[in-house]
Amino acid sequence: MTRRTRMALAAALGLAGLTAPAGAAEIELKLAHFLPTANGMHHTFMEPWARALEECSGGKVAVEIFPGGTQLGNVAKLHDAVRRGVVDIAHGLSGLPGGRFERTRIAELPFLFSSAGEASEALWALYPDYLAPDYEGLKVLAIHAHNPGQFHTTTASVTRPEDLRGLRLRFPTAAGRAMIEALGGTPVGLPPGEVYENAEKGVIDGAVFTWETMASFNLAEVMKHHLDAGAYVTTFWFAMNEDTYESLPDDVKQCVDDLSGDALAAKFGPWWDEWDAIGLERVKAEGHEIVVLGEADRAAWRDRLQPMIEAYLAELEEKGINAREIYAAMQERAGE
């Protein structure tokens, strides 16, 4: 990262709550994502990133952000929107809409990665050789993941794989759905914002989620038991329309490059630790049951799920994807 970019990042942190002045720049870019502005990925990551790009460009660029809840913030439409140039930059979930980013989503198989930092840096390292076909038409700025998630339940205490039998659990990803089914639970598809109400009414028995959601969605009020299993990660992408990137002046391209890639991948670990800590403290303050799986226990759960993992990879290989090779590369990165 250049000295100019580091200075821009520092300045941007002080401007994080401001919006770019309309019509004040030569290049106006639209950045869309699906999250509320109160979410850490908006106010700690994307807002400062946008302001840093403006600062680094010397005022040539203005970035307008369209978060979740706006016309351009529909999570299922972000991939199409950035590829078609409806927006210039987008941040989305790899699993929505389904059937895309299938190489990337191999990282979501259970008990593979131990931290957001490990997963995010592995994804970025593997992108050129293994994951690039998922991102045609895009200038990829980052691929990342959250910290491994937990099993959170309302009344049932979960400590062993057998304890999931018969439980109705909100699932986060396609791999998460397969994991719950393989362990005898019933996966339930729900947007994060609907989990509280359905848990409170007894429609579901729990959810597979990160610690962060216990605070940001107030789920600590309804989830009383927590198995800190480090069970899965969800993957995200951050990308620019390829034609938009190629149309930028060389100095602005350099700013984009300096603010992305390796430098950005290294930030997701500390960021997720910060966001998760808020949710974990909320749970501790409520005096809930928290059971932590050690590495040997995580390995036992992973062994139990091996047939499910093999079936998932085999299905991808039937589609012509070198899934086992990608999974092995991810395992190697996870062990570093």
Side-chain angles (χ1 to χ4, degrees):
M1 185 180 293
T2 65
R3 181 175 181 272
R4 183 182 186 185
T5 304
R6 287 195 296 270
M7 292 175 64
L9 276 170
L13 293 175
L15 300 171
L18 305 179
T19 57
E26 301 170 21
I27 303 165
E28 297 183 359
L29 301 176
K30 295 178 180 178
L31 189 164
H33 66 81
F34 62 95
L35 297 158
T37 56
N39 186 276
M41 282 201 278
H42 173 88
H43 62 69
T44 307
F45 160 30
M46 282 175 279
E47 183 76 34
W49 188 94
R51 304 291 81 87
L53 177 57
E54 292 171 346
E55 188 74 12
C56 181
S57 74
K60 290 182 182 179
V61 174
V63 183
E64 186 175 4
I65 299 179
F66 298 85
T70 65
Q71 185 178 7
L72 296 176
N74 185 323
V75 65
K77 296 181 179 180
L78 287 169
H79 182 219
D80 287 335
V82 71
R83 286 194 64 186
R84 294 172 182 171
V86 176
V87 299
D88 303 292
I89 308 167
H91 177 267
L93 269 171
S94 302
L96 289 173
R100 307 183 191 186
F101 304 103
E102 291 190 306
R103 294 165 182 81
T104 302
R105 289 190 290 124
I106 292 170
E108 298 175 347
L109 285 167
F111 297 97
L112 177 56
F113 291 107
S114 298
S115 71
E118 180 183 73
S120 299
E121 294 188 46
L123 286 164
W124 187 247
L126 297 176
Y127 161 66
D129 295 330
Y130 293 99
L131 311 181
D134 284 351
Y135 300 92
E136 292 181 6
L138 299 177
K139 163 67 176 177
V140 182
L141 308 177
I143 311 169
H144 68 100
H146 61 48
N147 273 334
Q150 296 77 39
F151 295 96
H152 307 277
T153 46
T154 54
T155 59
S157 178
V158 174
T159 61
R160 307 168 302 156
E162 294 79 9
D163 295 332
L164 293 179
R165 288 176 186 163
L167 296 185
R168 299 158 297 174
L169 301 173
R170 181 264 179 187
F171 66 89
T173 63
R177 176 175 187 157
M179 173 181 69
I180 292 168
E181 288 178 335
L183 296 173
T186 300
V188 180
L190 286 173
E194 296 180 16
V195 172
Y196 185 108
E197 180 181 3
N198 281 275
E200 187 177 41
K201 292 180 177 179
V203 176
I204 59 173
D205 301 300
V208 184
F209 254 145
T210 59
W211 284 121
E212 182 269 337
T213 60
M214 296 300 108
S216 63
F217 290 97
N218 289 319
L219 295 181
E221 294 182 2
V222 290
M223 305 291 179
K224 308 297 185 182
H225 303 271
H226 312 269
L227 178 63
D228 190 350
Y232 78 102
V233 301
T234 296
T235 58
F236 307 83
W237 53 270
F238 184 50
M240 179 179 282
N241 176 278
E242 197 168 54
D243 291 338
T244 297
Y245 177 79
E246 292 301 332
S247 72
L248 296 174
D250 287 344
D251 60 336
V252 176
K253 284 183 183 176
Q254 189 63 55
C255 288
V256 172
D257 293 346
D258 286 346
L259 290 165
S260 308
D262 290 335
L264 186 52
K267 295 179 181 295
F268 290 107
W271 281 340
W272 273 106
D273 288 345
E274 176 186 336
W275 302 331
D276 272 351
I278 297 170
L280 180 56
E281 286 305 311
R282 174 74 180 275
V283 166
K284 289 179 177 178
E286 298 283 347
H288 294 177
E289 177 193 40
I290 301 173
V291 177
V292 180
L293 286 187
E295 282 304 312
D297 293 322
R298 290 183 77 247
W301 279 65
R302 184 169 54 246
D303 290 344
R304 178 76 170 267
L305 289 163
Q306 200 58 41
M308 169 252 141
I309 293 170
E310 288 295 326
Y312 188 99
L313 296 174
E315 184 176 344
L316 289 179
E317 289 187 333
E318 288 176 2
K319 298 178 181 180
I321 295 172
N322 56 333
R324 284 188 175 84
E325 183 181 354
I326 294 172
Y327 184 65
M330 289 179 176
Q331 286 180 305
E332 184 176 353
R333 285 281 171 178
E336 290 183 350

